[in-house]
Amino acid sequence: MANGQKATIRDVAKRAGVAVSTASRALSHGSASKATREKVFRAAGELNFVPNPAARQLMSGRSNIVAIAIPEHTDFIFRDMFVAGILGELSRAFSERRMLPFLALTELQDTESLERLLRDSSADGVVVLSFHYSRQLAQVFHDFDKPTVFIGRPFPRMRYPYVDVDNEGAAYCAAELLVERGRRNIGIIAGPDDMMAPKQRTMGCVNGLADQGMKPLAVISGEYTAEHGFEACERILEQYPEVDGVFAQSDQIAVGVLQALAKHGRQVPNDVSVIGFDDFPVATMTNPKLTTFAQPLHDMAQVIAEMLCWRLEHGEWNTVAQVLPASLIKRDSV
Amino acid sequence: MANGQKATIRDVAKRAGVAVSTASRALSHGSASKATREKVFRAAGELNFVPNPAARQLMSGRSNIVAIAIPEHTDFIFRDMFVAGILGELSRAFSERRMLPFLALTELQDTESLERLLRDSSADGVVVLSFHYSRQLAQVFHDFDKPTVFIGRPFPRMRYPYVDVDNEGAAYCAAELLVERGRRNIGIIAGPDDMMAPKQRTMGCVNGLADQGMKPLAVISGEYTAEHGFEACERILEQYPEVDGVFAQSDQIAVGVLQALAKHGRQVPNDVSVIGFDDFPVATMTNPKLTTFAQPLHDMAQVIAEMLCWRLEHGEWNTVAQVLPASLIKRDSV
DNA sequence: GTGAAAGCGCTAACAG
DNA sequence: CTGTTAGCGCTTTCAC
């Protein structure tokens, strides 16, 4: 390509027969006479001129880089479709706004690496996706001192802007749905108890049941895996054979639940209703197909990008929290 | 944090009572008298000095950014665990080497966006993960004109360094394994026929069978999904009821195969042997657990980072292609 | 409208 | 070993 070196704005100016400053103006805000502008643009085109981002950044103080920080355990990141999905959407949302998404994956405890990564990145802003918040982690973002948005509500003491799914609302709706279907003996199989979302989902479901004068048979926390779903469901079947409804807090969990129910000869949805959460591909592969809640990954990413870009543009937040509804996907398991 | 502005090297120099260049030297290569070095480091520490990457980049011509380009369909990226896995590993591998992984996800056909993203990123190098290569795509990387490594072998006419899994070898081994087990009527359920890896896997398996004087009953291509596995397997069962072995080119496909076999009353592994590919979590959740090939995601990422960093350091490649073995994970389906 | 000159923060070449 | 000077590529005063 380039015959040796890359063209600089000096080359463009020379070729167009104008001063460097004129070329710069013409290219940036177009503040130049029409004739000059044309000359400059032609020259730039011919030389295949691409402005050097480092120089720009040096002047403007902005890098247009946004760090997407995911301080979580490796396997978690790899296995969790939520992470993959939101990552893809975020990447697109920021790219569309001419921001460059930079990926900062670090082990949960390794705050040092995270700190270094953020510093080296010269990011203008940060999006944080983590389910385990700690003081040290909070400190890192505080020290980095750049506009930061959290995905999922951070623990109350961390006052950061965030975008979240309405976990509580969806779970409330799940409870209503089960009760409407005539279910009275409902078990909740929850996600990890050191994360925020499972707490919200459990609370929403418990509240939903309470408003109908009911209580869950049991709430069992564990990983977002089929194994957990299977084991928890078996425990419930043993202790509460009258169980006729299960709120599984992820589709993976629901898969395990369905397996356990099948193993014990319970028909879904005839004997027992099951509701999942996430609407990942697996939800259509189960038998029966899973009724579940779809997370608005796309919208979340858009809102996050919007928030952060506004903040970078205007120097202040226009929203400080935004909660998006999950949508009920009715299939055959309720 | 910072009381207003960020500290520059001038501030550090002033505070340490030395010239700017001295401070720079002390901080970079440490070429300064011990006393000076100490003074400078103390001052830097007190001022919380962080060198401005833009300025550095402007001098060195290097950004330390590596673009990870994934021009693929959105859903594919989200649903494919291979992509998520390798992405995570790559991110870590580069971060460890103080390179900044920048994510360039674009729709397959949208080469314009990809071009813009790459340009804006000022990346020093590129890692490309795509399964659908086109002339336009090739052109983009050619024009960008930065050291580039492909994940997976690009189509023959594109002469780029690449790192790949030994798909052919693994598939050959799969064939051997099935034959050893006494299987004689083997179906191959392949991945998409417009990708390279499925071709390699099919070829490997066919060769493996040929070397035992056998031929596959059928080769059926389709998506890397359980649906495809299910349908393809049903078709094989119908046409070739004598089928006693299936090489499924992904674990997802294998899931569908197992479902189909179960539906038709075939016992695995008594009546039919099934081998998968990927060793994703689902492989341990099937019944029976799946025998499959694990892809060396971690090693691939390390090798890629190594290759690219060497190239950036030394101006030339030290390897131009590297093929890593997949490892057989024996479980219960063969 | 345009050109000359200064400077963003840093490093490298050159004297001392 | 250290200070002075120049310059990376660009934008932005400030005169003209």
Side-chain angles (χ1 to χ4, degrees):
Chain A
M1 283 299 81
N3 46 359
Q5 292 305 305
K6 288 190 74 173
T8 76
I9 201 169
R10 297 169 90 102
D11 304 323
V12 175
K14 198 172 292 173
R15 182 167 192 121
V18 299
V20 179
S21 49
T22 310
S24 169
R25 270 181 304 232
L27 291 168
S28 308
H29 0 276
S31 48
S33 74
K34 201 178 161 204
T36 323
R37 225 182 310 155
E38 268 172 18
K39 274 191 300 189
V40 173
F41 270 97
R42 176 143 18 93
E46 287 164 2
L47 293 173
N48 224 306
F49 170 69
V50 178
N52 179 323
R56 271 215 170 136
Q57 185 179 339
L58 190 53
M59 288 297 309
S60 68
R62 280 193 51 178
S63 62
N64 287 328
I65 292 175
V66 51
I68 300 181
I70 312 188
E72 272 296 341
H73 298 300
T74 312
D75 1 344
F76 191 81
I77 297 179
F78 293 179
R79 319 213 144 178
D80 196 290
M81 304 249 343
F82 178 79
V83 176
I86 197 78
L87 193 55
E89 294 288 356
L90 277 175
S91 163
R92 281 201 163 66
F94 280 108
S95 295
E96 279 167 15
R97 290 169 174 76
R98 311 216 62 159
M99 297 283 295
L100 303 168
F102 150 72
L103 204 50
L105 307 185
T106 53
E107 273 301 318
L108 190 48
Q109 325 81 341
D110 190 4
T111 50
E112 236 171 88
S113 292
L114 182 58
E115 213 169 334
R116 183 170 64 65
L117 271 176
L118 288 177
R119 252 213 327 267
D120 289 355
S121 76
S122 68
D124 295 331
V126 188
V127 177
V128 184
L129 174 55
S130 181
F131 307 101
H132 299 91
Y133 295 106
S134 62
R135 284 186 55 81
Q136 295 100 301
L137 208 53
Q139 192 62 40
V140 172
F141 297 117
H142 183 256
D143 288 353
F144 186 57
D145 197 28
K146 291 281 162 75
T148 302
V149 179
F150 277 73
I151 302 181
R153 180 166 161 208
F155 283 114
R157 299 185 43 194
M158 301 172 67
R159 309 214 112 266
Y160 273 108
Y162 68 86
V163 172
D164 202 358
V165 183
D166 185 12
N167 287 302
E168 210 171 321
Y172 189 99
C173 162
E176 284 187 325
L177 209 67
L178 289 171
V179 174
E180 264 172 35
R181 178 71 164 80
R183 305 310 182 178
R184 292 291 174 271
N185 304 294
I186 291 162
I188 299 177
I189 305 188
D193 59 5
D194 57 349
M195 296 184 184
M196 202 69 192
K199 285 191 215 303
Q200 297 170 332
R201 291 177 194 170
T202 298
M203 181 174 310
C205 188
V206 169
N207 287 344
L209 293 175
D211 285 358
Q212 313 272 347
M214 296 164 55
K215 281 203 316 199
L217 293 178
V219 179
I220 304 183
S221 295
E223 307 220 314
Y224 280 134
T225 61
E227 286 84 350
H228 165 51
F230 186 86
E231 286 160 19
C233 188
E234 282 208 311
R235 261 165 61 199
I236 291 183
L237 282 166
E238 203 169 309
Q239 255 186 294
Y240 309 96
E242 72 272 27
V243 60
D244 58 7
V246 175
F247 174 41
Q249 292 191 2
S250 86
D251 288 348
Q252 288 298 333
I253 292 176
V255 166
V257 169
L258 291 177
Q259 287 171 343
L261 291 172
K263 178 179 163 194
H264 291 262
R266 306 293 182 101
Q267 303 270 340
V268 176
N270 285 347
D271 306 334
V272 184
S273 295
V274 177
I275 300 186
F277 213 106
D278 285 339
D279 192 36
F280 287 143
V282 70
T284 63
M285 288 163 42
T286 53
N287 183 13
K289 290 181 178 160
L290 202 58
T291 291
T292 186
F293 292 92
Q295 308 216 39
L297 300 186
H298 179 81
D299 295 349
M300 286 175 77
Q302 290 294 335
V303 167
I304 289 165
E306 196 103 25
M307 273 174 78
L308 199 51
C309 288
W310 170 284
R311 169 66 180 76
L312 292 173
E313 215 61 53
H314 299 79
E316 52 179 22
W317 298 100
N318 61 347
T319 336
V320 87
Q322 205 151 333
V323 178
L324 276 50
S327 32
L328 177 64
I329 308 292
K330 287 193 184 177
R331 294 207 181 86
D332 314 321
S333 65
V334 172
Chain B
M1 286 297 85
N3 46 359
Q5 292 305 304
K6 287 189 78 172
T8 76
I9 202 170
R10 297 170 90 102
D11 303 324
V12 174
K14 197 172 291 172
R15 182 168 191 120
V18 299
V20 180
S21 51
T22 308
S24 168
R25 269 180 307 229
L27 291 169
S28 307
H29 357 277
S31 48
S33 74
K34 201 177 161 205
T36 323
R37 226 182 310 154
E38 268 173 18
K39 275 191 299 187
V40 172
F41 270 97
R42 176 140 21 90
E46 288 165 1
L47 293 173
N48 224 306
F49 170 69
V50 178
N52 179 323
R56 274 214 167 137
Q57 185 179 337
L58 190 53
M59 287 296 309
S60 67
R62 281 192 49 176
S63 62
N64 288 328
I65 291 176
V66 50
I68 300 181
I70 312 188
E72 272 297 340
H73 298 301
T74 312
D75 1 343
F76 191 81
I77 297 180
F78 294 179
R79 320 215 142 175
D80 196 290
M81 304 249 344
F82 178 80
V83 176
I86 196 78
L87 194 56
E89 293 288 356
L90 277 175
S91 162
R92 281 198 162 68
F94 280 107
S95 295
E96 280 167 13
R97 291 168 174 76
R98 310 216 63 159
M99 299 282 296
L100 305 168
F102 151 71
L103 204 50
L105 306 185
T106 53
E107 272 302 319
L108 189 48
Q109 326 80 340
D110 190 3
T111 50
E112 236 171 89
S113 293
L114 181 58
E115 213 169 333
R116 183 170 64 66
L117 272 176
L118 289 177
R119 250 211 331 264
D120 289 355
S121 75
S122 67
D124 296 331
V126 188
V127 177
V128 184
L129 175 55
S130 180
F131 306 100
H132 299 90
Y133 295 106
S134 63
R135 283 186 56 82
Q136 297 100 299
L137 208 53
Q139 192 62 41
V140 172
F141 297 116
H142 182 257
D143 288 353
F144 187 56
D145 198 29
K146 291 281 162 75
T148 302
V149 179
F150 277 74
I151 302 182
R153 179 164 162 210
F155 283 114
R157 300 186 41 194
M158 301 172 67
R159 311 213 112 267
Y160 273 108
Y162 68 87
V163 173
D164 202 358
V165 183
D166 185 12
N167 287 303
E168 211 173 319
Y172 189 99
C173 161
E176 283 187 326
L177 208 69
L178 290 171
V179 174
E180 264 172 35
R181 177 71 163 80
R183 304 311 183 179
R184 292 291 173 271
N185 304 295
I186 291 162
I188 300 178
I189 305 187
D193 60 5
D194 57 350
M195 296 185 184
M196 201 69 193
K199 284 191 217 301
Q200 297 170 332
R201 291 176 194 170
T202 298
M203 182 173 310
C205 188
V206 169
N207 288 343
L209 293 175
D211 285 357
Q212 313 272 347
M214 296 164 54
K215 282 203 315 198
L217 293 178
V219 178
I220 304 182
S221 295
E223 306 220 314
Y224 280 135
T225 60
E227 285 85 350
H228 166 51
F230 186 86
E231 286 161 18
C233 188
E234 282 208 311
R235 261 166 61 198
I236 291 182
L237 282 166
E238 204 168 309
Q239 254 185 295
Y240 309 96
E242 69 272 27
V243 61
D244 58 7
V246 175
F247 174 42
Q249 293 192 3
S250 86
D251 289 348
Q252 289 297 334
I253 292 177
V255 166
V257 169
L258 292 176
Q259 288 172 343
L261 291 172
K263 178 178 164 195
H264 291 262
R266 307 293 181 102
Q267 302 270 340
V268 176
N270 286 347
D271 307 334
V272 184
S273 295
V274 178
I275 301 188
F277 212 106
D278 287 339
D279 192 36
F280 287 143
V282 71
T284 64
M285 287 162 44
T286 54
N287 183 13
K289 290 180 178 162
L290 201 59
T291 291
T292 187
F293 291 92
Q295 308 217 39
L297 299 185
H298 179 80
D299 295 348
M300 286 174 76
Q302 291 294 334
V303 167
I304 288 166
E306 196 102 25
M307 273 173 78
L308 198 52
C309 289
W310 170 284
R311 169 67 181 75
L312 292 173
E313 216 60 54
H314 299 81
E316 53 180 21
W317 297 100
N318 60 348
T319 336
V320 86
Q322 206 152 331
V323 178
L324 277 52
S327 34
L328 177 65
I329 307 292
K330 287 194 183 175
R331 295 208 180 85
D332 315 321
S333 65
V334 173

